[in-house]
Amino acid sequence: MSNRMEGSAGPGVSANGPVSAPSSPVGSTMGPPLSPDELDEDQESSLTDVTQMWIKFAKTFAIIFPIYVLGYFEFSFSWVLIGLAMLFYWRKNHGTKDYRINRALAFLEHEEKAVRQSVPTTELPPWVHYPDVERVEWLNKTVKQMWPFICQFVDKLFRETIEPAVKGANPHLSSFCFTKIDMGDKPLRVNGVKVYTENVDKRQVIMDLQISFVGNTEIDVDIKKYYCRAGIKSIQLHGVMRVVMEPLLGDMPLIGALSVFFLKKPLLDINWTGLTNMLDIPGLNGLCDNIIQDIIYSYLVLPNRITIPLVGEAELAKLRFPIPKGLLRIHFIEAQDLLGKDKFLGGLIKGKSDPYGVIQLGTQLFQSKVIHETVNPKWNEVYEALVYDSSGQNLEIELFDEDTDKDDFLGSLVIDVAELQKEQKVDEWFVMDDVATGKLHLKLEFLSLLNTPEKLDQVLTSIRANRGQANDGLSSALLVIFLDSARNLPRNPLEFNQAGLRKASVSKAIKSGKKVTSDPSPFVQFTVGHKSFESKTRYKTNEPVWEEAFTFLIHNPKTQELEVEVKDEKHDCSLGTLTLPLRQLLEAEDMMLSQRFPLRNSGPSCTLKMKMALRVKKQSEEQEKVLWCDAHCVSLWV
């Protein structure tokens, strides 16, 4: 840097020294008095001249003083000549090279600054911001070469899989068909890849692909029954897709299965054509896009996933029945020094706020209550979120001020779940981001899940399950249900359960017996305590296949029950029921049941195939110490 600056000179100074002021022309008179700014400039110029004079004197002294020292100690003048010859030789061979290198480094530094200032950071690829995200141009070139064949696969997938599924989803869509499927000539791009090598199982490979698809797609659909035609002429999709390869095998193909899903909801923009142009009306367009997004989220956003098996059914069964790795208990306690967004007297007086919080982990969303007229709210609420994959997932919290028109932003917070898993328990104040002031008090606990029923009593004591209602309070266990299929569902509900039919359905069934004996459209409702889930409806079949998973947070598995009811959407009646005490899972091997369960109030040999597992939450070390101290004190007292 010093070599680069050596040839430059300050104002009023040449490369060899101060420059004399130009003489005034002959006969000129004295000009007007100098202004204060001009006087300051003259003073600065004089100071610079003095500085340059002292620097020149120091350089001259540094050159003459060694000669004086050599003469004082009576050294031969030949040593001076040898030293000067060596100096000239070094400058000739190395000085110019160092000067060129310094100029090149200075140019690169200037170029990097210019690029960072001219290009917005949001437009830079991920591998610029994150060193562990790698460029994969080789993969993009491969996808580009394979794109025509990928389009052929997508065409076959739409026509052979999606089209029959849509036709069977609703009787009104029985004439649905794809008339044109063209994915365009712009292939999918992968902007960066991150491979996880720490805190992962030895028999799995986890990759995060940051994908972007901006395609000139043309997809046309036709519903001939209603003479309805519509289509899509372009799609934009941006998001982080995770690819999990597990289990790794010692034989070919080395990978047991591929699991593909999005960690968060991807950004999706669809441009419609045909009759759907009417959906360009504000509000309707967003509604249609939201419906499409919900369909995608139900299949591709965690905990939902697409599993591609590469081995036998035994390994695939483990992948279809994913059990969460843990549970994150979030104590949403209080906040301080939040912004006061409410204004009075036309904005002259700033008041307080009505703050509330929005907490999100994957697709799980929680919203706190609103605390009115305060900037120091106290919520004291507890939420429990399931963690399927801690690596790459973040706990996102946003605070808002409730208003009648649009809620004001009060700050955000992002916490890495992988770090919470390492710490197990965090209790501290977090400074809010993107705002001038505000902090949030959180207590976060990462609880592991165990298949050891003997730990249940300790957990029940820690959450005081014996003092409250059976279905209220914090959870002590997790129930995972995999709904597989049903067999021999009744085709005529009047034969076994007239009381389960509505009166209108009974009169209609008596008048038209053919419609009653047609195949039902079954779905299943699961209920534990106050919470219920419903499966998707399978139309016109008495042997439906669902392959869906459900999870329940259980307060006390010793007293609670799982209630299952198979219903017919077509006739609005019950096709059979099942009640299973969760105590049976505590007594089962590995706390798991996988079998066909017979249904009550149903037809003969009517069964429901399910797989269920119960997992007990591992309490924190602090809770274990408290329980041990309580038990020890009780024993000493006795």
Side-chain angles (χ1 to χ4, degrees):
M1 187 66 71
S2 61
N3 290 336
R4 186 181 66 176
M5 299 298 294
E6 194 171 308
S8 63
V13 182
S14 69
N16 298 322
V19 178
S20 61
S23 60
S24 60
V26 179
S28 62
T29 59
M30 182 178 294
L34 298 176
S35 64
D37 292 338
E38 292 175 341
L39 289 174
D40 292 340
E41 291 180 359
D42 289 344
Q43 292 176 0
E44 291 178 0
S45 178
S46 302
L47 182 62
T48 304
D49 293 344
V50 173
T51 304
Q52 291 293 333
M53 183 185 67
W54 278 106
I55 292 174
K56 187 174 181 180
F57 174 77
K59 289 181 178 180
T60 305
F61 180 78
I63 295 174
I64 296 176
F65 183 73
I67 299 175
Y68 170 78
V69 172
L70 291 175
Y72 181 80
F73 289 102
E74 298 181 355
F75 282 97
S76 175
F77 186 72
S78 59
W79 290 103
V80 178
L81 296 178
I82 293 173
L84 291 175
M86 293 177 63
L87 176 64
F88 291 145
Y89 177 80
W90 180 84
R91 283 190 174 182
K92 180 180 179 181
N93 291 276
H94 299 281
T96 306
K97 182 178 179 181
D98 291 344
Y99 177 71
R100 291 198 303 267
I101 292 174
N102 290 332
R103 282 181 62 88
L105 292 176
F107 173 76
L108 289 176
E109 181 182 359
H110 176 73
E111 184 182 31
E112 181 181 358
K113 290 181 179 179
V115 169
R116 290 187 178 273
Q117 292 175 358
S118 60
V119 180
T121 56
T122 56
E123 297 181 5
L124 294 175
W127 49 265
V128 175
H129 301 283
Y130 309 104
D132 52 353
V133 177
E134 303 176 11
R135 297 183 63 183
V136 283
E137 286 304 315
W138 63 270
L139 181 57
N140 289 320
K141 293 178 181 178
T142 304
V143 172
K144 184 177 180 180
Q145 189 73 10
M146 297 174 60
W147 188 245
F149 304 96
I150 295 175
C151 292
Q152 292 181 19
F153 168 75
V154 172
D155 186 285
K156 186 181 298 184
L157 176 68
F158 273 61
R159 297 187 187 277
E160 297 181 1
T161 304
I162 297 180
E163 185 175 305
V166 174
K167 286 182 177 180
N170 195 300
H172 301 289
L173 299 176
S174 58
S175 59
F176 174 90
C177 67
F178 289 101
T179 58
K180 182 179 181 180
I181 300 175
D182 182 9
M183 298 302 295
D185 56 356
K186 296 181 180 179
L188 177 83
R189 278 193 58 83
V190 181
N191 298 325
V193 174
K194 180 178 180 180
V195 181
Y196 292 89
T197 57
E198 298 180 358
N199 301 321
V200 297
D201 194 284
K202 296 296 183 182
R203 298 193 64 185
Q204 68 176 188
V205 176
I206 299 178
M207 295 187 300
D208 284 349
L209 307 180
Q210 305 198 12
I211 66 172
S212 176
F213 178 62
V214 182
N216 50 347
T217 305
E218 292 187 23
I219 301 176
D220 296 334
V221 299
D222 186 8
I223 305 177
K224 298 179 180 178
K225 183 177 179 180
Y226 298 100
Y227 303 99
C228 177
R229 294 181 180 180
I232 298 171
K233 67 178 182 181
S234 66
I235 298 177
Q236 292 192 28
L237 180 68
H238 307 277
V240 178
M241 176 177 285
R242 172 157 294 185
V243 179
V244 181
M245 295 179 283
E246 66 174 351
L248 301 181
L249 307 173
D251 298 319
M252 295 301 292
L254 299 180
I255 301 170
L258 293 176
S259 296
V260 181
F261 54 88
F262 284 98
L263 287 173
K264 295 174 60 177
K265 297 178 180 179
L267 299 177
L268 178 65
D269 185 19
I270 301 175
N271 192 359
W272 298 92
T273 61
L275 292 178
T276 51
N277 282 333
M278 61 180 288
L279 296 176
D280 290 338
I281 302 173
L284 294 181
N285 190 11
L287 176 63
C288 187
D289 287 347
N290 289 336
I291 293 174
I292 300 296
Q293 289 179 12
D294 290 340
I295 295 174
I296 293 177
Y297 301 157
S298 65
Y299 284 97
L300 281 175
V301 180
L302 196 71
N304 308 302
R305 64 184 72 196
I306 292 179
T307 301
I308 305 172
L310 302 177
V311 293
E313 290 291 330
E315 293 292 338
L316 180 60
K318 297 180 181 179
L319 298 173
R320 287 180 175 176
F321 188 61
I323 296 180
K325 291 187 176 181
L327 181 135
L328 185 61
R329 185 171 288 165
I330 306 163
H331 297 262
F332 196 66
I333 304 176
E334 58 180 328
Q336 286 185 359
D337 302 328
L338 298 180
L339 295 175
K341 290 290 185 178
D342 296 335
K343 298 179 180 180
F344 304 97
L345 298 179
L348 296 176
I349 302 176
K350 284 189 176 181
K352 299 181 179 180
S353 294
D354 303 320
Y356 69 92
V358 177
I359 305 168
Q360 184 170 4
L361 179 61
T363 57
Q364 303 170 85
L365 191 67
F366 310 96
Q367 181 172 326
S368 74
K369 60 186 177 183
V370 179
I371 308 297
H372 294 281
E373 297 183 356
T374 180
V375 293
N376 301 306
K378 294 184 178 181
W379 292 282
N380 293 319
E381 297 180 350
V382 183
Y383 308 101
E384 294 180 322
L386 300 177
V387 179
Y388 287 86
D389 200 339
S390 59
S391 58
Q393 275 204 297
N394 294 322
L395 175 66
E396 301 176 3
I397 301 176
E398 291 182 320
L399 300 183
F400 295 95
D401 167 37
E402 186 185 48
D403 284 326
T404 54
D405 48 359
K406 183 180 179 182
D407 295 349
D408 296 318
F409 179 71
L410 296 179
S412 63
L413 188 64
V414 178
I415 303 175
D416 189 358
V417 178
E419 294 297 325
L420 294 178
Q421 185 178 5
K422 292 180 182 178
E423 297 292 334
Q424 294 292 312
K425 185 177 180 180
V426 175
D427 186 355
E428 62 179 83
W429 287 88
F430 294 89
V431 178
M432 303 302 296
D433 298 329
D434 305 323
V435 288
T437 179
K439 55 184 180 178
L440 180 64
H441 185 196
L442 296 175
K443 179 181 176 183
L444 305 171
E445 297 177 275
F446 189 93
L447 306 176
S448 303
L449 301 174
L450 308 175
N451 58 348
T452 51
E454 57 271 11
K455 294 285 186 178
L456 179 61
D457 291 334
Q458 295 182 359
V459 180
L460 292 176
T461 304
S462 65
I463 65 173
R464 297 176 174 84
N466 55 349
R467 300 182 184 181
Q469 299 296 324
N471 300 316
D472 298 327
L474 299 177
S475 61
S476 64
L478 176 72
L479 175 64
V480 183
I481 304 171
F482 180 73
L483 174 63
D484 188 276
S485 59
R487 278 185 184 176
N488 301 320
L489 292 179
R491 302 183 66 187
N492 188 351
L494 287 174
E495 294 180 355
F496 63 91
N497 191 14
Q498 290 191 16
L501 289 169
R502 294 185 307 177
K503 293 182 179 180
S505 299
V506 172
S507 60
K508 186 177 180 180
I510 293 174
K511 294 179 180 179
S512 176
K514 292 183 179 180
K515 291 186 178 181
V516 177
T517 56
S518 61
D519 289 330
S521 298
F523 68 95
V524 183
Q525 183 181 58
F526 298 93
T527 303
V528 177
H530 306 307
K531 194 168 185 178
S532 296
F533 289 109
E534 289 185 358
S535 71
K536 297 176 182 177
T537 303
R538 298 297 181 231
Y539 292 93
K540 295 183 179 181
T541 177
N542 68 333
E543 293 195 355
V545 177
W546 288 283
E547 294 186 344
E548 296 182 57
F550 305 92
T551 55
F552 286 92
L553 296 174
I554 306 300
H555 179 64
N556 190 348
K558 290 186 175 182
T559 59
Q560 290 182 274
E561 295 179 337
L562 170 65
E563 298 177 0
V564 184
E565 184 176 11
V566 184
K567 296 183 177 181
D568 181 9
E569 184 183 82
K570 184 177 181 180
H571 299 106
D572 194 14
C573 67
S574 175
L575 298 178
T577 59
L578 168 67
T579 301
L580 180 71
L582 298 182
R583 183 182 292 272
Q584 292 187 17
L585 285 168
L586 294 173
E587 301 170 356
E589 182 180 359
D590 197 28
M591 300 176 66
M592 185 179 296
L593 291 175
S594 179
Q595 64 186 63
R596 289 192 172 275
F597 296 89
L599 295 177
R600 299 193 311 267
N601 301 323
S602 183
S605 65
C606 180
T607 59
L608 191 65
K609 185 178 181 181
M610 295 187 298
K611 183 177 182 180
M612 294 178 287
L614 191 67
R615 292 294 180 264
V616 178
K617 298 178 183 179
K618 179 184 178 182
Q619 57 194 1
S620 62
E621 295 181 359
E622 180 180 344
Q623 291 175 334
E624 291 182 354
K625 291 179 180 178
V626 171
L627 291 175
W628 183 87
C629 291
D630 291 344
H632 187 63
C633 292
V634 170
S635 62
L636 291 176
W637 178 262
V638 173

